[in-house]
C-alpha cells in the first residue's frame, strides 16, 4: 500500500514538473533561490532571484527575458526578436548565465545605473522604445525599473 502511494506521489510530481517548458534542469552553481535560507554561502552567481526584462522596439520587436529561481526549481526563457532567438530552459540559462554574471547591481543601486548595466549587458540597440525590468533580490526586496525613450 505504501509503495503505491509513493509511486503515485512520484508520478504526480513528475507530471507537474514535465508540464513546464521553461524549467532549468542544470542550474548554475550558487544561484540564489527565492526564500532560500541565509545560512548558505554569500557567494552567489547572481545578485537576484527573479529577473523579468522586456525591451520594446518598433514593429512589435522585443527582447523578453524571464528568470525565476525559487525553492521548487529554476525557470528561464530568452526571446530576442532582433536576433531571431527564442530559448527556453537550459538553452536559455546557457545564454543568460554569462550576462547575469556581468551584472553588478543590487537593490541599493541607482535606477539609471541599473538600466545602463542592463542595456549594455543585453546589447540593447539605441532604437528601443521602452525598457521595463522587474527584479527580486535574495533578501525579498522587489524593484521595478523602466525607461521610455522620447522620440
Amino acid at each position: 500500500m505504501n509503495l503505491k502511494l509513493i509511486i503515485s506521489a512520484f508520478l504526480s510530481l513528475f507530471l507537474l514538473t514535465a508540464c513546464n517548458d521553461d524549467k532549468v534542469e542544470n542550474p548554475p552553481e550558487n544561484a540564489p533561490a527565492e526564500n532560500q535560507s541565509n545560512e548558505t554561502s554569500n557567494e552567489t552567481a547572481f545578485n537576484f532571484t527573479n529577473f523579468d526584462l522586456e525591451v520594446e522596439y518598433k514593429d512589435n520587436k522585443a527582447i523578453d527575458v524571464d528568470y525565476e529561481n525559487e525553492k521548487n526549481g529554476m525557470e528561464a526563457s530568452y526571446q530576442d526578436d532582433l536576433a531571431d532567438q527564442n530559448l527556453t530552459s537550459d538553452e536559455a540559462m546557457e545564454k543568460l548565465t554569462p550576462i547575469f554574471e556581468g551584472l553588478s547591481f543590487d537593490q541599493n543601486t541607482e535606477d539609471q545605473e541599473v538600466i545602463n548595466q542592463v542595456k549594455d549587458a543585453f546589447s540593447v540597440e539605441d532604437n528601443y522604445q521602452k525598457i521595463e525590468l522587474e527584479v527580486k533580490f535574495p533578501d525579498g526586496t522587489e524593484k521595478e525599473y523602466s525607461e521610455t525613450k522620447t522620440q
Side-chain angles (χ1 to χ4, degrees):
M1 171 102 177
N2 284 341
L3 183 59
K4 287 182 182 178
L5 183 60
I6 291 171
I7 291 172
S8 294
F10 178 75
L11 288 175
S12 296
L13 181 63
F14 178 75
L15 288 173
L16 285 174
T17 57
C19 293
N20 191 342
D21 290 342
D22 295 344
K23 183 98 171 163
V24 174
E25 299 298 328
N26 299 307
E29 291 183 30
N30 299 324
E34 187 175 333
N35 300 320
Q36 188 176 42
S37 169
N38 287 336
E39 295 172 13
T40 58
S41 169
N42 288 334
E43 292 296 316
T44 57
F46 313 135
N47 297 335
F48 43 81
T49 59
N50 292 37
F51 186 95
D52 184 6
L53 172 67
E54 186 169 339
V55 180
E56 297 175 7
Y57 293 94
K58 291 181 181 177
D59 301 325
N60 293 323
K61 302 283 186 192
I63 296 173
D64 191 6
V65 176
D66 289 305
Y67 165 79
E68 292 180 19
N69 191 9
E70 299 174 349
K71 276 200 267 189
N72 62 349
M74 182 182 291
E75 297 177 6
S77 66
Y78 175 84
Q79 176 183 341
D80 183 345
D81 294 335
L82 300 176
D84 197 26
Q85 286 188 310
N86 190 6
L87 307 173
T88 58
S89 110
D90 290 324
E91 287 181 331
M93 277 316 303
E94 285 178 28
K95 173 77 175 180
L96 294 172
T97 297
I99 295 171
F100 286 168
E101 288 174 343
L103 297 173
S104 62
F105 67 84
D106 62 22
Q107 61 269 40
N108 300 314
T109 305
E110 289 187 28
D111 290 10
Q112 190 58 53
E113 173 60 23
V114 172
I115 293 286
N116 290 343
Q117 281 190 38
V118 169
K119 286 193 310 192
D120 288 345
F122 286 92
S123 302
V124 174
E125 295 183 10
D126 287 338
N127 62 341
Y128 70 92
Q129 293 182 309
K130 186 175 190 177
I131 295 176
E132 292 180 336
L133 174 64
E134 294 178 26
V135 179
K136 188 168 189 176
F137 297 94
D139 69 356
T141 303
E142 294 183 46
K143 293 198 77 174
E144 294 183 12
Y145 309 89
S146 67
E147 181 175 273
T148 303
K149 200 158 186 190
T150 53
Q151 305 265 352

